[in-house]
Amino acid sequence: MLVAVAVCPHPPLLVPALAGAAAAELDDLRAACASAVRSLGDAGADTIAVVGGASTTAAYGADAAGSLAPWGADVRVGEGEAVLPLSLTIGRLLLDEEHLGASAFHAISFDADPAECAGLGRRLTERGGRTALLVMADGSARLTEKSPGYLDPRAEPYDRAIVRALARAEVPAFDVAEAAELWVQGRAALQVLDGLGEGLSAEILYDDAPYGVGYFVVRWTE
């Protein structure tokens, strides 16, 4: 039974050690992420699972480690070899900061088809007990001329549609090819939630694109 969801972005700059002098620019985003993640603990969940996009689909145990060394600072979570991709490393950092633990970490391939994504969501929530999900997902990286993927005029309305759907505790019917063209790296992770939000209330805690990438923070609760 799904009792709570937090959706957060996963830019390395969420970690102040990587942001340096620009760290204060994302203070509002960090605060929103912390609030959303705390909601998972407040929901009385028996388990918290973390889902995020990656180059390949993989599952990791509760003790899996990650490092941000490839992005400029050897900030680590967990013990042993760093195996978590960026999205799940940031997810574990957010949980650690709120003194919460995950039962498992699940990477879903950026190009996974919608049926595979939805199937993972069903498996995670049909195991019995009260389950909460932390979904790590960025919006389009083509929102401005300074975006990593440069400006695409389709990107802004595409991101608006994502946020409107999440505000209804729903997931938009993504066009997979268009999402890839618009550099929506969170598409697959968000589709893990397809059909799971029924009966939950939604709240948008953050919605902005400070570096030309769509970042939104959302919580769904009972």
Side-chain angles (χ1 to χ4, degrees):
M1 174 184 180
L2 183 64
V3 297
V5 173
V7 177
C8 296
H10 50 81
L13 292 180
L14 265 181
V15 180
L18 282 161
E25 296 177 5
L26 293 183
D27 280 350
D28 288 348
L29 176 57
R30 293 187 191 95
C33 289
S35 181
V37 171
R38 281 196 299 271
S39 299
L40 304 181
D42 293 342
D46 300 313
T47 60
I48 298 174
V50 185
V51 176
S55 57
T56 58
T57 295
Y60 305 92
D63 295 330
S67 172
L68 293 175
W71 290 271
D74 193 16
V75 176
R76 294 180 60 86
V77 287
E79 301 292 337
E81 181 184 2
V83 295
L84 296 176
L86 173 63
S87 60
L88 299 181
T89 297
I90 296 294
R92 176 153 192 177
L93 277 166
L94 293 176
L95 286 173
D96 285 355
E97 288 172 356
E98 299 306 318
H99 307 289
L100 295 171
S103 60
F105 296 85
H106 295 268
I108 186 79
S109 173
F110 291 126
D111 61 1
D113 66 57
E116 179 184 352
C117 300
L120 173 59
R122 287 192 298 273
R123 291 194 300 275
L124 291 176
T125 56
E126 290 177 351
R127 295 175 176 175
R130 296 170 61 83
T131 300
L133 298 180
L134 172 56
V135 177
M136 307 304 297
D138 293 350
S140 175
R142 303 195 66 179
L143 290 167
T144 71
E145 293 182 355
K146 295 183 178 180
S147 295
Y150 196 66
L151 174 66
D152 188 308
R154 300 172 296 167
E156 196 278 335
Y158 202 94
D159 260 31
R160 293 302 93 226
I162 294 173
V163 174
R164 285 196 302 270
L166 293 174
R168 301 190 299 267
E170 300 173 356
V171 176
F174 285 106
D175 180 292
V176 175
E178 187 175 21
E181 292 169 4
L182 296 177
W183 293 31
V184 183
Q185 285 204 325
R187 190 275 307 171
L190 287 173
Q191 285 199 294
V192 170
L193 295 171
D194 198 19
L196 299 181
E198 184 176 353
L200 298 180
S201 298
E203 182 179 6
I204 307 296
L205 302 179
Y206 183 94
D207 177 17
D208 203 352
Y211 300 115
V213 181
Y215 298 148
F216 31 79
V217 179
V218 185
R219 62 179 164 209
W220 296 354
T221 53
E222 289 183 299

